[in-house]
Amino acid sequence: MSRLDIKTPSQAQAVVDQLYRNVEHRIASSPPGLCPIDMALNFLELCHAQTCGKCVPCRIGLGQLAQMLREVLDGQPDIQILRRIEQTAQTIVDTADCAIGINAAQLVLMGLQGFRDDYEEHILRHRCLGSLKNPVPCVALCPAGVDIPGYIALVHAGRYADAVRLIRKDNPFPVACAYICEHPCEARCRRRMVDDAVNIRALKRYAVDQAGAVPQPPCAPATGKKVAVIGGGPGGLSAAYYLALMGHSVTVYEKRKALGGMLRYGIPDYRFPRTLLDAEIASILSLGIEVHTDINVGTDVTLDQLKQEYDCLYLAIGAHTDKKTGIEGENSRGVVSAVELLRGIGDGEKPDFTGKRVVVIGGGNVAMDVTRSAIRLGAEKVTCVYRRRKEDMTALPEEVEGAEAEGAELLTLHAPVRIESDDSGNAVALWTQPQIIGEMDRQGRPKPGTARAAERRIEADVIIVAIGQGVESLGFEQSGVVIQRGGTLLAGSDTKLPDLEGVFAGGDCVTGPATVIRAIAAGKAAAANIDEYLGFHHEIASPVQVPAPRFSDLKPRGRVNTTERDACERKHDFTCIECGLTAEEAEQESSRCLRCDHFGYGVFKGGRVEKW
């Protein structure tokens, strides 16, 4: 009889592994509107099944927690059960022998903090907040609420102009978002239960590329009301667009010499060509929107003066100031901010980095933009320094991979300490302190700490700081605008400013630096609320009829991804790097949509939003 056998995976184990993957897919694709307590209970029971059972807190405590959550779902107990749940979970966290039980109990504690109102609704009113409205996952995760299944169906039918018209109902920048949107809509795409998320952004890109110039819809009759929009970025222009459609007279005041905000001054040409941005802005302005550029509201004209001239104001000034590192030597010559560099590129003033060594500090999308731009500006070597790990970078993975493919060097787990300069005050090197990764923070990202290692010197001719942006609110506070800690404006979720009649605000100046689609969503919300404030109730709708769903192929298949120009070619110019889908790829990818807007009506009670 043999003493040892070579272990090989059995057929049963292979099936179990596939079952785990299927469960992971369903968890990842669960709709945003599901009852959070029910989800917490399911996670807790899954964790309970995976504990070893050797310690009482895991074996007994997690079972007791699960039973209490079931009682909450049934609406049986009194409100005091929340205190018992919290105490039990905290006891498990404090006494469990291993991290498996601790993490399971922490799930419950996080839930009590994150959705306590759901618990109270179940106990006090015997109803669930989560299931009152359960919309299509991709639409729910789009900040602007774009009808994604609708325009994908139109792309599949070859009706590209109609797809653009349907998108414009909720987003007046279909071209911009087709090129640069971070596509949060794909995160919970239910197609992931089958294979992989639908490539939503690529299908939008195909639609706008094929549709060409699509005329804007007619405006409603003039209302006689005047609205001023301060800021000509995506948020401000979105509000102006919908207000103009509603029949109001709109004037946009922009501090820079051209409109576009961070679309122009924060996103390089190679990601979104300026010719396309100019054409999209011109299309929006064709509704009769008046524009004043090179006007600094707060100095050239005050907010109080505008309040006297207009019936309503919308502040969408963005976040265009740079943040300082606070390290020694950052005022040396050769140290520039990412905001400053990208602003110059947006105005056509491209610096010459030929033969220079460039170091970029930061790990977000802006850091990747300036890293890749520096390569195109002729830099001999570009190094991106980040204090966390590569997987902790907030930049999109494809942006990081693209930068590396073009020759950028990533130096992770290094925190900037000081900037060395020569006798003439020119920066010559960045000194960094190696880091070691540590405990998780509240967002689930591990925090770096100082490692027991010597500082490192990185030679540099140019150092670009890309660690965030701030709001330039000078001139607004004296007019009654409340400025929060950090420089952002205080506004409610309805975009209204407290104690300032007829003044609204939204976008990056309220939330801090965020995505383009979030600024667009804020502009849309502001337009609706300003319209109501002015005494109207105009509705924005699209006459486009969405095709009925027809399935010809239900087999699992791979996702079609877009490609990019070869790195050795694209790194020498600012021409658009992404290649769009072919007709064959667009047809196949659009056929993968499960049309949750139609077949999901039994579960997704939100359905299609025809108008707003």
Side-chain angles (χ1 to χ4, degrees):
M1 183 176 179
S2 57
R3 291 176 55 196
L4 296 174
D5 291 326
I6 298 173
K7 294 182 179 180
T8 56
S10 65
Q11 181 64 29
Q13 186 58 47
V15 172
V16 168
D17 290 342
Q18 184 60 50
L19 289 173
Y20 268 109
R21 285 192 291 271
N22 289 345
V23 170
E24 289 170 0
H25 288 163
R26 290 184 176 273
I27 290 173
S29 305
S30 59
L34 287 179
C35 174
I37 302 174
D38 187 52
M39 289 292 290
L41 174 60
N42 282 280
F43 285 141
L44 180 61
E45 290 179 332
L46 180 64
C47 294
H48 193 196
Q50 293 175 328
T51 62
C52 67
K54 290 182 179 178
C55 72
V56 172
C58 277
R59 186 177 68 251
I60 306 299
L62 293 181
Q64 290 178 338
L65 273 181
Q67 179 56 38
M68 284 187 276
L69 261 60
R70 289 191 203 97
E71 292 177 15
V72 170
L73 286 171
D74 293 338
Q76 296 173 352
D78 58 38
I79 199 69
Q80 296 303 318
I81 195 172
L82 298 185
R83 181 62 180 160
R84 298 208 314 274
I85 291 174
E86 185 175 16
Q87 289 176 335
T88 305
Q90 189 62 57
T91 300
I92 296 171
V93 169
D94 295 338
T95 60
D97 287 345
C98 75
I100 295 175
I102 293 171
N103 287 347
Q106 281 177 335
L107 285 173
V108 178
L109 287 175
M110 288 170 59
L112 272 175
Q113 296 169 1
F115 41 85
R116 191 181 186 91
D117 53 341
D118 289 88
Y119 278 93
E120 293 174 354
E121 197 74 17
H122 275 279
I123 296 169
L124 300 176
R125 300 176 185 86
H126 311 296
R127 66 189 183 117
C128 179
L129 291 175
S131 62
L132 292 179
K133 185 174 182 182
N134 226 339
V136 177
C138 59
V139 178
L141 288 179
C142 174
V146 174
D147 188 347
I148 294 165
Y151 78 71
I152 289 178
L154 290 165
V155 170
H156 190 65
R159 296 165 53 190
Y160 309 117
D162 280 345
V164 171
R165 291 187 183 97
L166 186 61
I167 295 169
R168 280 179 178 166
K169 177 177 72 69
D170 301 288
N171 175 4
F173 283 94
V175 179
C177 288
Y179 278 78
I180 54 87
C181 186
E182 293 188 331
H183 47 82
C185 49
E186 295 181 17
R188 297 284 183 88
C189 176
R190 283 168 61 84
R191 183 75 198 199
R192 294 176 69 180
M193 293 185 187
V194 181
D195 35 54
D196 202 355
V198 175
N199 195 335
I200 295 172
R201 186 181 66 82
L203 289 171
K204 185 186 296 180
R205 161 87 187 267
Y206 187 79
V208 300
D209 286 349
Q210 299 302 313
V214 180
Q216 295 287 355
C219 297
T223 63
K225 298 294 184 179
K226 297 168 61 180
V227 181
V229 175
I230 295 92
L237 289 176
S238 295
Y241 174 83
Y242 291 117
L243 288 167
L245 284 179
M246 294 169 181
H248 305 302
S249 174
V250 185
T251 303
V252 176
Y253 290 85
E254 169 56 42
K255 182 179 179 180
R256 308 293 167 195
K257 61 184 180 182
L259 298 175
M262 292 307 285
L263 285 174
R264 183 180 303 277
Y265 297 109
I267 297 174
D269 271 7
Y270 67 81
R271 288 183 61 199
F272 184 33
R274 291 292 173 270
T275 52
L276 297 179
L277 174 61
D278 291 337
E280 187 146 59
I281 292 175
S283 179
I284 290 172
L285 298 183
S286 69
L287 296 179
I289 299 168
E290 185 180 344
V291 174
H292 297 295
T293 55
D294 279 323
I295 298 292
N296 189 355
V297 175
T299 56
D300 297 333
V301 60
T302 67
L303 204 64
D304 293 327
Q305 289 174 323
L306 293 178
K307 285 174 66 178
Q308 292 175 2
E309 186 178 348
Y310 294 90
D311 298 297
C312 225
L313 304 182
Y314 178 56
L315 309 182
I317 58 177
H320 294 268
T321 62
D322 57 301
K323 285 190 175 180
K324 303 295 184 182
T325 60
I327 62 176
E328 178 188 340
E330 70 173 332
N331 293 322
S332 305
R333 280 193 295 274
V335 180
V336 298
S337 73
V339 173
E340 180 185 342
L341 176 64
L342 293 174
R343 185 181 300 150
I345 293 174
D347 281 333
E349 302 166 359
K350 297 176 182 175
D352 185 7
F353 288 166
T354 302
K356 294 184 177 180
R357 297 160 298 181
V358 177
V359 174
V360 177
I361 301 174
N365 283 321
V366 173
M368 291 302 103
D369 284 341
V370 292
T371 295
R372 301 177 77 174
S373 294
I375 293 171
R376 287 162 173 78
L377 293 170
E380 177 186 312
K381 181 182 180 183
V382 181
T383 305
C384 183
V385 176
Y386 186 54
R387 67 191 184 97
R388 297 177 188 259
R389 302 173 304 175
K390 178 180 175 180
E391 53 265 43
D392 300 322
M393 293 179 111
T394 56
L396 291 172
E398 54 263 34
E399 288 294 315
V400 180
E401 292 166 7
E404 288 185 302
E406 291 166 7
E409 177 185 318
L410 293 184
L411 183 61
T412 56
L413 286 174
H414 275 72
V417 175
R418 64 184 179 279
I419 293 171
E420 179 186 337
S421 56
D422 60 18
D423 295 336
S424 301
N426 299 309
V428 295
L430 173 71
W431 285 85
T432 64
Q433 171 63 53
Q435 304 288 289
I436 184 170
I437 210 64
E439 295 180 1
M440 298 288 185
D441 60 20
R442 291 184 178 181
Q443 285 73 43
R445 298 170 71 205
K447 296 181 291 186
T450 302
R452 292 194 294 269
E455 293 180 356
R456 176 170 174 174
R457 183 178 186 270
I458 308 165
E459 293 184 347
D461 302 302
V462 177
I463 298 174
I464 305 172
V465 179
I467 59 170
Q469 295 138 248
V471 179
E472 191 175 347
S473 53
L474 184 67
F476 290 92
E477 193 166 10
Q478 56 263 43
S479 297
V481 178
V482 179
I483 310 298
Q484 301 181 97
R485 185 179 180 183
T488 56
L489 312 186
L490 177 62
S493 59
D494 58 358
T495 68
K496 292 181 181 179
L497 264 65
D499 304 324
L500 269 183
E501 196 67 23
V503 183
F504 297 73
D508 290 1
C509 65
V510 172
T511 64
T515 59
V516 168
I517 190 63
R518 290 196 176 278
I520 291 169
K524 172 185 170 182
N529 295 330
I530 289 172
D531 184 62
E532 292 286 333
Y533 173 81
L534 294 174
F536 299 90
H537 188 73
H538 292 98
E539 292 180 332
I540 302 295
S542 172
V544 175
Q545 294 295 316
V546 176
R550 289 191 181 91
F551 288 117
S552 56
D553 185 359
L554 297 177
K555 297 177 182 177
R557 61 172 67 249
R559 165 187 164 114
V560 175
N561 289 316
T562 54
T563 58
E564 294 184 344
R565 296 162 54 211
D566 290 341
C568 60
E569 172 193 338
R570 70 183 188 238
K571 69 180 183 179
H572 296 296
D573 57 49
F574 278 83
T575 305
C576 186
I577 62 175
E578 187 181 64
C579 306
L581 301 178
T582 65
E584 180 184 18
E585 290 171 335
E587 181 181 5
Q588 176 175 305
E589 190 63 12
S590 59
S591 71
R592 294 178 61 236
C593 178
L594 297 176
R595 291 300 302 275
C596 300
D597 59 314
H598 177 85
F599 293 101
Y601 274 137
V603 177
F604 307 131
K605 304 189 187 305
R608 168 165 285 111
V609 178
E610 303 283 354
K611 57 188 177 182
W612 56 271

